[in-house]
Amino acid sequence: MMDKVDKTDKPQIKGWCPGAWRPMATGDGLLVRVRPRLGRLTRGQMLALCAAAETYGSGLIELTSRANLQLRGVSDASWPGLMEALVEQGLVDPDPQVERRPQRLLAPDWQAGDATHETACLLEARLNELPALPDKMGIAIDAGEAPRLGDVSADLRIERAASGGLQARASGNLQARALGGLLVRADGRALGTPVDSPAAAVEELIRLAHWFVASGGREAGRMRRHTAPLPPWAPAVTPPAEPGARLALGEHARGRVVGLAFGRASAAALRAAVAPDSVSAVRVTPWRRLLLEGEGASGAAIAGLLDDDRDPRLAMQACPGAPHCEQASVETLALAERLSGRVAGSVHVSGCAKGCACQQPTDLCLTGRNGRFDLIKGGRADGVPLATGLTESDVIEHLEKNSDALRL
């Protein structure tokens, strides 16, 4: 099952995302990714996932920027047993081909019967009508009164239109919110095509997916990189509604929001989070936050999880690094912890130049190369460094000498 990768100065870009039926070999074993249906796990499913992580993997669970949950440290020998457990719990479809369908990402605060939920269910019923799309393509369903997923990777988006957002705010019931005021937007375009219902939005999205393939989109790989003009029947004329805020840590109308430092936590910590019987479910988000549903979700702090929105580890970018990733030549998490709360501005600590944790420039980027760090300011992991060959201690010393980069 594991494909051996030589650790070189130029990391390999595999061009596909891991799944459950198609795990990816890493430095600490297989990486197995689970896509919760509608972005939600029941309490029983969450407990089963924690048990599976400890029984078949390393016990570490990560929350990705596309709101997937992934288990680390799975071996070739343990993978079949893991898959049997995941399928039994409804966490993975028994048909491997289902995993090849585009990732669907829902705004996490949807309610049963609202536009986001209705649209997602209608799309699920028609997934077989989508063409075969590139592996990394995804769909965002973000039809609440204030879109929340604009900064999350997706290729086709169903959102609340600007005028629709105003109508939804003025409405006092779910049925009215689900009617009209939606748009379908191709990623990379500021404007989208207005539609009058969730069903019409799904129809338009399927047509756009077929247009993407027919107009040569496979070569581009992602919608944002596809430069072909949109078809006449999909005019980009309507802006989305003003974006809403990410879910804040702490009490929530449906329970409680907790954070994961650097997007990862132990199975033990997550088991403790759903231990109360009154916790009914867990919703995943792309922002290192989990929404625990149920009145019993509120209460004391949970060891290993974050409850303060100001914790800098929620915003810092750090990949797993060595030894978890076989392409990384440095450990990343210890240095990220040392820098937490000390560096002014955005920070990215990357085990290699591929920069999996963050593709955007950051104020400070530290990239692993041949067992040391390159220091980059205002760039990506593959940017031009100001200093090279730094140890972890060298990094701290360099930043202390340049105190404008630190909160000292």
Side-chain angles (χ1 to χ4, degrees), residues 1-2 23 28-30 32 52 55-57 73-85:
M1 180 65 61
M2 290 193 205
D28 58 355
L30 297 176
V32 177
T55 302
Y56 303 104
V74 178
S75 68
D76 287 336
S78 66
W79 179 76
L82 170 63
M83 291 303 298
E84 183 177 347

Side-chain angles (χ1 to χ4, degrees), residues 37-55:
R37 181 179 179 271
L38 300 180
R40 183 177 185 268
L41 300 87
T42 66
R43 176 176 179 269
Q45 286 178 320
M46 191 71 219
L47 289 171
L49 189 69
C50 292
E54 293 173 332
T55 302

Side-chain angles (χ1 to χ4, degrees), residues 36 48 57 92 97-98 101 117 136 187 192 197-199 263 275 320 344 355 373 391 395 403 406-407:
V92 172
Q97 292 305 311
V98 171
R101 293 169 176 168
H117 179 251
K136 291 196 173 185
D187 194 50
S197 69
F373 288 96
T391 66
V395 169
S403 58
L406 291 174
R407 294 190 185 101

Side-chain angles (χ1 to χ4, degrees), residues 274-290:
V274 297
D277 292 339
S278 51
V279 175
S280 58
V282 177
R283 297 196 189 189
V284 293
T285 82
W287 312 302
R288 303 179 183 177
R289 293 162 166 83
L290 296 173

Side-chain angles (χ1 to χ4, degrees), residues 61 169 198 258 282 302 325 363 367 381:
I61 298 177
R169 289 183 178 87
V258 296
V282 177
I302 302 167
C325 176
D363 295 321
T367 301

